[in-house]
Amino acid sequence: MANSYTVLWTNDLCRELIRGGFMGQRPTALFGGPHQSRPSFRRAGVAPGDRIFAVRAWRTALYPVCSMQVQRIVDYDRAGEELADEDYPKLIHWRPLKSGCVSEVVLGPPGSPLRFDRPLPGHHLEHLTFVSRRGERKLKHVEDGRLLRAVSLQGIYRLAPESAEVIGRHLTSEEAVA
């Protein structure tokens, strides 16, 4: 069974993507590395078939930005050798996601369109659950439907299936946010 994970994108990265005209585009590559600012997907246990949700914490809200299914993960240093000629331009196009020290590239079919305009409703924040070998934990630093700090999102974390479903529905829904 495939898993779903979150990865926190910084506000600087999100602003760069907005300024660069990436809103509405569908990611085909994500980058990971050895540092907290650009965490490793492999170390987090991400595997082909899994789904990655990029999220942004901004102004006490959590914004699901996009999702992408993992087709494969390749070493960044060997990406040019391992990728088909038609895949290499995808890496170049998504260069803004490469900020910082990078050691791996997650490739997949086009994900959901990037959007920065729809926060997850606050009542969902209080129920978001992550799972690990040690058990389950709720999203921390949530009070009255507001995300007070994003520290518990820094890294790559596996979502409980119900939480992944909530974020996935939110990304694909066109309904107005209450």
Side-chain angles (χ1 to χ4, degrees), residues 61-112:
L62 181 67
Y63 289 77
V65 175
C66 67
S67 70
M68 188 181 97
Q69 185 175 6
V70 177
Q71 189 172 42
R72 64 185 176 143
I73 303 174
V74 299
D75 291 334
Y76 178 73
D77 293 341
R78 299 183 45 93
E81 300 167 19
E82 293 188 33
L83 296 179
D85 289 344
E86 63 271 8
D87 288 334
Y88 197 74
K90 296 174 186 176
L91 286 185
I92 304 303
H93 180 74
W94 291 103
R95 181 178 39 241
L97 297 179
K98 184 184 156 269
S99 62
C101 187
V102 171
S103 61
E104 61 195 29
V105 182
V106 177
L107 300 167
S112 68

Side-chain angles (χ1 to χ4, degrees), residues 44-157:
V46 175
D50 289 344
R51 184 167 49 165
I52 306 293
F53 289 106
V55 297
R56 176 188 193 188
W58 190 53
R59 295 187 177 174
T60 70
L62 181 67
Y63 289 77
V65 175
C66 67
S67 70
M68 188 181 97
Q69 185 175 6
V70 177
Q71 189 172 42
R72 64 185 176 143
I73 303 174
V74 299
D75 291 334
Y76 178 73
D77 293 341
R78 299 183 45 93
E81 300 167 19
E82 293 188 33
L83 296 179
D85 289 344
E86 63 271 8
D87 288 334
Y88 197 74
K90 296 174 186 176
L91 286 185
I92 304 303
H93 180 74
W94 291 103
R95 181 178 39 241
L97 297 179
K98 184 184 156 269
S99 62
C101 187
V102 171
S103 61
E104 61 195 29
V105 182
V106 177
L107 300 167
S112 68
L114 266 66
R115 55 183 319 151
F116 303 92
D117 59 342
R118 294 190 54 229
L120 193 65
H123 64 276
H124 289 307
L125 289 181
E126 297 176 8
H127 302 289
L128 277 185
T129 305
F130 298 92
V131 295
S132 70
R133 290 183 207 124
R134 291 182 278 178
E136 293 188 351
R137 73 167 172 89
K138 298 282 186 194
L139 178 60
K140 296 177 184 174
H141 310 293
V142 175
E143 186 176 297
D144 297 326
R146 299 177 309 133
L147 182 62
L148 302 180
R149 291 189 295 185
V151 69
S152 67
L153 288 165
Q154 292 175 343
I156 298 171
Y157 297 103

